[in-house]
Amino acid sequence: MKTLLIIIAIIYLLKLLTRYLGPLLLLFISKKIAAKFGAQFETKFNQQGTENQNNNTNSTTEIPKSKKVVGEYIDFEEID
């Protein structure tokens, strides 16, 4: 009987802890994730900015476009 009361008390305490500390934990985790994605966005944005600057300086030279041969066309007839 004593073991059953201890198990029930532990479950009740865990419920209280998750009720009060759960939102704080989720808020902490979401802030860390947002900061991580923000840092990735800034680095990607900075990389794209330098690429655009490099592309603007080379805009006077034309890059020849290559025509790729995908394959040959095969004509077929539908058989009934």
Side-chain angles (χ1 to χ4, degrees):
M1 188 72 170
K2 188 176 179 182
T3 307
L4 186 61
L5 289 175
I6 291 173
I7 292 173
I8 291 173
I10 290 173
I11 291 173
Y12 183 71
L13 285 173
L14 286 176
K15 281 186 179 182
L16 286 176
L17 285 174
T18 55
R19 180 174 290 160
Y20 293 114
L21 296 179
L24 294 175
L25 181 65
L26 289 176
L27 183 65
F28 176 74
I29 292 172
S30 65
K31 282 184 180 179
K32 287 191 83 138
I33 291 173
K36 187 176 181 180
F37 280 124
Q40 287 179 353
F41 177 74
E42 286 178 6
T43 57
K44 185 174 272 193
F45 182 72
N46 289 337
Q47 288 174 353
Q48 287 178 350
T50 56
E51 288 175 2
N52 287 340
Q53 289 174 354
N54 291 340
N55 288 342
N56 289 341
T57 58
N58 295 333
S59 62
T60 57
T61 60
E62 291 185 23
I63 300 172
K65 296 181 181 178
S66 63
K67 295 183 179 180
K68 293 183 180 179
V69 177
V70 178
E72 61 183 83
Y73 178 74
I74 299 174
D75 193 20
F76 66 95
E77 293 182 18
E78 188 172 321
I79 300 174
D80 291 325

